[in-house]
Amino acid sequence: MKTQAHQLPQLLQKGLSPVYLISGDEPLLVQECCDQVRKAAREAGFEDRVTFHADQQLDWNRVGEELGALSLFAEKRRIEIHLPTGKLGDGRAVMESTLQNPSDDIILLLISARLDAAETRRKWYKELQNQGVHVPVWPIDADRFSGWLQQRARNHGLSLTRGALAMLAERLEGNLLAASQELDRLALLGSGTTIDEEMVEQAVQDSSRFNGFELVTELLAGRATHARKIIGVLQQEGENPLGLLTVLSRDLNLTMELNIATAKRENTAGFLKKRGVFQPQRAKAVEQAARRLNRRQLMTALELCSATDRAAKGFDSLSPWHHLQDMITLLARPA
């Protein structure tokens, strides 16, 4: 079955399904839906977790063996598979077989970029809808963004004045990850606080150092020297690369889609608007990257994202920053 993100908590309260697919290009909302599934699964006794990343190095036979293996001590397991391109590829046969006869001892969580229409017509997806739950996550429209910010602030115990809300909405322009971080920072002022324009302005000044969002923009623009400088600062400050990685992989996938759409003579402004890209700086960076980079470069960049993710989680002998340095070199090259 298919359900909306806001309906997921109520659905989880009724009981767990054997498989969940969370798909979309808004990393924050996708992550929060996944966390809801994980929490419900842990509470139901699914403590063990195994994670796979569907890049070109993934051996789907190993995934199939894990999905079909009996736990040594009959422990319940969560198996998570990340699909950065939104496609199963060589894993379709494994997934079809698994979904035809799902195990009672496994909760399968598929975490994917937005699915295209072709993927939703495939057999594995139809089996998933019969056996489990698909939660497509959509961007917050521009006309809903202020309301989303206001509700998010209330969840933090904050009240935004009209001026503060307008300032935050204008500054953040639909960037949900940045908005969440900004509200987390403001929440340090204490629950029950009323936030005005002056307090927002001060928070902006306090966070004026380099950040992951600026790095993503520099990478897409191919500005290697400045990107290396930002990486050096972030690494010295002990920044977790996973936060910027979700933004980077999202925008690389978006760039790939725009590259394809442009080849079909689709209007760029209309494409970006439909994808919820309202921030001028981000739109310009994605548009320039789609013109400058070819699909082979973009696919390699997405593979480097997977390598960075593995390294950040301790599954690689190299540092995640090493792979991001390789990313700079790759994206700085002319197509």
Side-chain angles (χ1 to χ4, degrees):
M1 65 175 293
K2 186 183 289 188
T3 191
Q4 299 301 312
H6 70 273
Q7 298 171 319
L8 180 58
Q10 184 178 0
L11 194 65
L12 289 169
Q13 288 178 0
K14 296 179 180 178
L16 287 171
S17 295
V19 57
Y20 292 87
L21 166 63
I22 314 293
S23 68
D25 296 327
E26 277 294 352
L28 176 69
L29 301 184
V30 168
Q31 180 68 31
E32 289 179 345
C33 286
C34 290
D35 286 345
Q36 291 173 33
V37 174
R38 291 172 179 133
K39 181 175 183 292
R42 285 196 301 269
E43 290 174 349
F46 293 84
E47 294 289 347
D48 285 356
R49 182 175 74 165
V50 180
T51 303
F52 295 99
H53 294 265
D55 53 25
Q56 292 187 345
Q57 285 75 45
L58 179 62
D59 181 356
W60 279 99
N61 290 326
R62 189 161 66 88
V63 178
E65 290 170 0
E66 186 68 40
L67 287 165
L70 295 175
S71 178
L72 185 61
F73 301 105
E75 294 176 345
K76 297 179 177 180
R77 292 171 293 154
R78 290 175 285 132
I79 296 181
E80 299 185 7
I81 304 177
H82 293 259
L83 306 173
T85 65
K87 298 181 184 296
L88 271 175
D90 295 339
R92 286 199 294 269
V94 170
M95 200 53 54
E96 288 168 11
S97 174
T98 298
L99 292 172
Q100 285 172 2
N101 187 26
S103 169
D104 293 335
D105 294 328
I106 293 175
I107 294 293
L108 177 60
L109 176 59
L110 303 176
I111 306 165
S112 173
R114 182 174 55 86
L115 300 185
D116 61 24
E119 202 68 21
T120 62
R121 291 193 292 268
R122 297 191 186 279
K123 182 179 178 181
W124 77 267
Y125 179 78
K126 294 176 181 177
E127 290 286 352
L128 182 142
Q129 285 212 311
N130 290 333
Q131 298 286 355
V133 177
H134 176 203
V135 184
V137 175
W138 303 105
I140 302 296
D141 296 336
D143 57 354
R144 294 170 48 219
F145 184 56
S146 292
W148 182 88
L149 268 177
Q150 189 74 275
Q151 183 58 53
R152 194 90 177 182
R154 291 194 192 102
N155 293 343
H156 281 79
L158 302 173
S159 175
L160 299 175
T161 66
R162 183 175 299 179
L165 178 61
M167 181 180 288
L168 282 172
E170 181 180 6
R171 174 176 181 254
L172 299 167
E173 293 192 75
N175 193 327
L176 303 193
L177 276 169
S180 179
Q181 292 173 348
E182 205 71 73
L183 290 173
D184 285 344
R185 187 179 297 110
L186 290 168
L188 296 175
L189 299 172
S191 181
T193 303
T194 296
I195 305 298
D196 59 19
E197 293 169 79
E198 184 179 349
M199 297 169 79
V200 171
E201 185 64 36
Q202 184 60 48
V204 171
Q205 291 174 3
D206 290 345
S207 62
S208 59
R209 62 181 175 77
F210 288 139
N211 57 64
F213 297 103
E214 185 178 356
L215 175 58
V216 171
T217 299
E218 296 301 288
L219 286 170
L220 291 178
R223 292 190 281 264
T225 301
H226 196 209
R228 292 192 194 283
K229 181 178 179 182
I230 295 174
I231 278 185
V233 171
L234 295 178
Q235 188 173 5
Q236 287 175 4
E237 293 180 349
E239 196 79 17
N240 187 340
L242 289 176
L244 71 91
L245 193 60
T246 56
V247 180
L248 178 59
S249 59
R250 175 198 65 183
D251 281 358
L252 285 171
N253 277 300
L254 183 65
T255 301
M256 175 83 80
E257 292 179 21
L258 180 56
N259 185 291
I260 295 170
T262 302
K264 297 178 181 177
R265 300 187 180 279
E266 187 173 337
N267 179 267
T268 298
F271 172 91
L272 292 172
K273 185 177 180 180
K274 283 192 294 185
R275 296 302 189 277
V277 181
F278 306 109
Q279 198 171 21
Q281 187 180 23
R282 181 185 171 210
K284 182 179 179 181
V286 169
E287 182 178 357
Q288 289 178 344
R291 287 201 307 265
R292 189 172 58 83
L293 302 168
N294 59 40
R295 294 178 201 175
R296 178 179 54 78
Q297 286 173 295
L298 291 167
M299 283 300 300
T300 304
L302 287 168
E303 291 167 8
L304 280 172
C305 282
S306 295
T308 304
D309 182 81
R310 290 196 302 272
K313 294 174 179 175
F315 299 118
D316 193 322
S317 59
L318 296 172
S319 159
W321 301 106
H322 173 91
H323 296 299
L324 286 172
Q325 293 283 0
D326 288 346
M327 182 84 71
I328 293 174
T329 304
L330 171 70
L331 296 184
R333 295 172 185 164

